[in-house]
Amino acid sequence: MTEVQLFGLWGSFFSHRIEIALKLKGVEYEFIEEDLSNKSPLLLQYNSIHKKVPVLVHKGNPIAESRVILEYIDDTWKGHPILPENPHERANARFWAQFIDEKCRVALRNAYGCQEKEREEEATREACELLKTLENELKNRRFFGGDKIGLVDIVANFIGFWLGAIQEALEVKLFTEDRFPKLYRWSEEFVNCSIIKESLPPRDKLISFMRRRYGLSS
Amino acid sequence: MAEESVKLLGYWASPFALRVKWALKLKGVHYEYVEENLPNKSPLLLRYNPVYKKIPVLVHNGKPLAESLLIIEYIDEAWKQNPLLPDDPYERANARLWAKFFDEKCVPEVMGAFASKGEEQEKAAKARENLKMLERALEGKPFFGGDKIGFLDIAVGWIGIWGRIVEEIAGVSLIDAETMPLLTAWLNNFLEVPVIKACIPSWHELLEHNKGFHKILTGSST
């Protein structure tokens, strides 16, 4: 039995984040695909509070919540640091990672999940404002982490890849090169990294899944 | 060595600012406290926290940081004495996980019980259920941090004060000694620690301040 197991889902950007981090650090792990409609007893035991994926199990110790797991991975395996060394830069990285999850992700989900036109326009506007704030933080850097991928890039993975798939599935154009030239360029750089590419789910499969999820015909 | 400047922008009635104060005091860091005259946000606050425009904000040598738990982690990393987070990565992860659980699953329920008119008992029941889970993190230790106060203690500790305020104003029970003996014992110990106790605002002032809030939130006349 390997020392490291990851309970995840093929299409989940949360579990993908963990895969990126483990691969960047060269950590061998066993991926266990969960069926959310029929959660395994092992998962329920390891994440008895939230009962969600991803869960990382290292030497029998379970850790849940993707950003907490990422910090654990960085604390435990020292190669290819995900967080900077300087305390202020570390705090800054955590700030933007939290902003992406608590603000951008939620706003985008609201914008895409909208049924009423009026509410959709407002939600889209809010999402765009937040993405613009994020883009301003990127400035002219190649990655949020500088020359290399760091915590913020990893957490922004759903903007890097999933957003494109959702947009194609729902035939919407919120995140475009016109509106967000720097963030768009970042997403292309991100997806082209070999470590990222090799762990991404198949795009067509993801698009079909999204269409089904949003109640559209495949 | 250049002189350090540490400034904390806060609000006397904010539990999130209190958390940061506790962290600074535990580390013995000298800081200048700047009271924000909320709801009138100062230009300084807006400049230092343009994203959320909220307190607390810590400014260390001119560099601002926002979001209370992130600030506390920063304080722990910038000043090495009296560590707040454990050394062991797994224990650190657990401390962070429980703090996240508290902020995301307990606090909104407590606020919900405070702000609702008619549903306060249901929301309080949910809050109690989630608060009870925190006892798992105590595991027979006097504090979440073990023998000494740590990160999770200061992240959660304010519930001992604000929880009682909500109980009194909204007429609900949140921290029940019978069903939550470990949490109750921990709170009693925690709030008596001198460094912690010294920072707590006046109970009467907090109560009056929150009564005012409650009136506005529930549209009721007390």
Side-chain angles (χ1 to χ4, degrees):
Chain A
M1 177 156 132
T2 41
E3 212 175 71
V4 182
Q5 290 125 339
L6 172 63
F7 288 77
L9 289 176
W10 71 270
S12 157
F13 58 79
F14 292 113
S15 37
H16 180 250
R17 289 172 181 176
I18 313 309
E19 293 203 83
I20 302 175
L22 292 169
K23 285 186 196 288
L24 282 171
K25 302 237 179 205
V27 176
E28 281 195 27
Y29 64 98
E30 181 193 352
F31 184 84
I32 298 159
E33 177 80 22
E34 271 295 319
D35 173 1
L36 287 188
S37 60
N38 187 18
K39 293 173 186 178
S40 71
L42 214 55
L43 174 67
L44 297 175
Q45 180 203 325
Y46 281 138
N47 190 2
S48 50
I49 297 179
H50 300 289
K51 305 176 176 51
K52 284 184 187 175
V53 290
V55 175
L56 186 80
V57 182
H58 182 211
K59 294 182 183 166
N61 288 329
I63 305 122
E65 295 292 310
S66 65
R67 280 181 287 126
V68 175
I69 299 172
L70 289 172
E71 293 240 24
Y72 174 82
I73 290 172
D74 210 35
D75 277 344
T76 305
W77 292 280
K78 298 299 178 190
H80 197 300
I82 296 171
L83 278 160
E85 264 207 52
N86 171 272
H88 193 268
E89 285 169 32
R90 287 167 80 84
N92 212 37
R94 287 173 180 139
F95 177 88
W96 289 104
Q98 187 177 291
F99 176 80
I100 288 168
D101 258 353
E102 293 182 7
K103 293 288 175 188
C104 298
R105 183 181 59 87
V106 173
L108 284 163
R109 193 184 59 202
N110 289 341
Y112 290 132
C114 249
Q115 306 296 345
E116 314 116 56
K117 183 99 170 99
E118 243 181 64
R119 180 69 194 113
E120 188 193 339
E121 278 170 14
E122 192 191 313
T124 301
R125 200 172 28 246
E126 192 188 332
C128 285
E129 267 175 40
L130 293 166
L131 284 176
K132 210 27 128 170
T133 302
L134 185 64
E135 186 177 59
N136 291 338
E137 174 55 23
L138 177 62
K139 302 180 189 69
N140 286 312
R141 293 175 291 173
R142 184 175 174 216
F143 296 115
F144 288 97
D147 292 322
K148 294 193 297 180
I149 288 179
L151 178 76
V152 181
D153 302 279
I154 296 174
V155 170
N157 69 341
F158 72 91
I159 298 173
F161 181 74
W162 273 256
L163 216 50
I166 296 176
Q167 295 200 143
E168 195 168 317
L170 305 183
E171 289 166 17
V172 291
K173 279 190 178 288
L174 191 157
F175 178 57
T176 62
E177 192 170 5
D178 269 344
R179 275 185 177 149
F180 308 100
K182 289 180 185 161
L183 202 57
Y184 198 85
R185 183 205 30 83
W186 166 85
S187 71
E188 293 184 319
E189 286 263 23
F190 179 79
V191 159
N192 278 319
C193 291
S194 52
I195 293 255
I196 306 297
K197 242 198 282 220
E198 75 190 43
S199 51
L200 285 172
R203 200 162 187 274
D204 288 340
K205 189 177 175 190
L206 193 62
I207 291 171
S208 300
F209 174 78
M210 292 294 174
R211 289 185 68 82
R212 278 197 309 276
R213 215 245 229 117
Y214 282 93
L216 304 164
S217 56
S218 280
Chain B
M1 190 163 113
E3 207 176 275
E4 274 201 308
S5 104
V6 184
K7 212 186 301 209
L8 173 65
L9 275 69
Y11 182 59
W12 72 275
S14 159
F16 304 105
L18 181 59
R19 279 174 170 175
V20 176
K21 270 190 210 170
W22 279 338
L24 289 166
K25 291 281 187 199
L26 283 166
K27 292 275 184 178
V29 174
H30 293 291
Y31 65 98
E32 179 199 341
Y33 178 73
V34 177
E35 175 76 14
E36 277 289 314
N37 183 23
L38 298 183
N40 303 311
K41 296 176 184 183
S42 72
L44 203 66
L45 175 60
L46 299 177
R47 179 158 64 92
Y48 281 143
N49 189 3
V51 175
Y52 295 113
K53 306 177 178 48
K54 286 184 181 177
I55 56 95
V57 175
L58 187 80
V59 189
H60 184 201
N61 293 335
K63 292 189 187 163
L65 279 171
E67 296 298 289
S68 61
L69 289 183
L70 298 187
I71 296 173
I72 296 170
E73 284 221 43
Y74 172 79
I75 289 169
D76 204 30
E77 289 174 357
W79 290 278
K80 300 288 185 197
Q81 67 275 24
N82 200 15
L84 299 173
L85 273 166
D87 267 329
D88 175 71
Y90 183 61
E91 287 177 41
R92 290 162 80 85
N94 273 328
R96 287 178 177 132
L97 212 51
W98 282 111
K100 198 166 193 282
F101 173 79
F102 174 73
D103 268 10
E104 291 175 5
K105 301 286 176 195
C106 300
V107 175
E109 303 295 342
V110 170
M111 304 283 213
F114 181 66
S116 84
K117 198 177 182 182
E119 286 183 323
E120 54 271 23
Q121 297 302 334
E122 285 164 50
K123 299 214 184 221
K126 186 69 196 169
R128 280 196 304 276
E129 196 184 304
N130 289 350
L131 285 166
K132 169 82 185 157
M133 288 199 214
L134 287 172
E135 291 196 326
R136 289 191 216 185
L138 275 169
E139 300 165 326
K141 298 174 288 180
F143 298 109
F144 288 110
D147 291 321
K148 290 194 306 169
I149 294 178
F151 174 81
L152 191 53
D153 298 278
I154 57 180
V156 175
W158 62 268
I159 203 67
I161 308 151
W162 272 260
R164 295 273 176 244
I165 288 187
V166 172
E167 284 176 343
E168 187 160 328
I169 297 175
V172 294
S173 165
L174 290 173
I175 298 156
D176 174 43
E178 253 185 67
T179 57
M180 303 172 198
L182 297 177
L183 205 64
T184 307
W186 162 72
L187 271 173
N188 290 339
N189 287 333
F190 175 77
L191 295 173
E192 283 302 311
V193 173
V195 140
I196 300 298
K197 197 169 178 177
C199 298
I200 298 172
S202 138
W203 168 263
H204 289 292
E205 283 178 34
L206 263 181
L207 191 63
E208 287 314 303
H209 173 81
N210 282 291
K211 273 185 185 166
F213 248 148
H214 188 248
K215 259 195 238 182
I216 297 168
L217 288 170
T218 59
S220 56
S221 53
T222 315

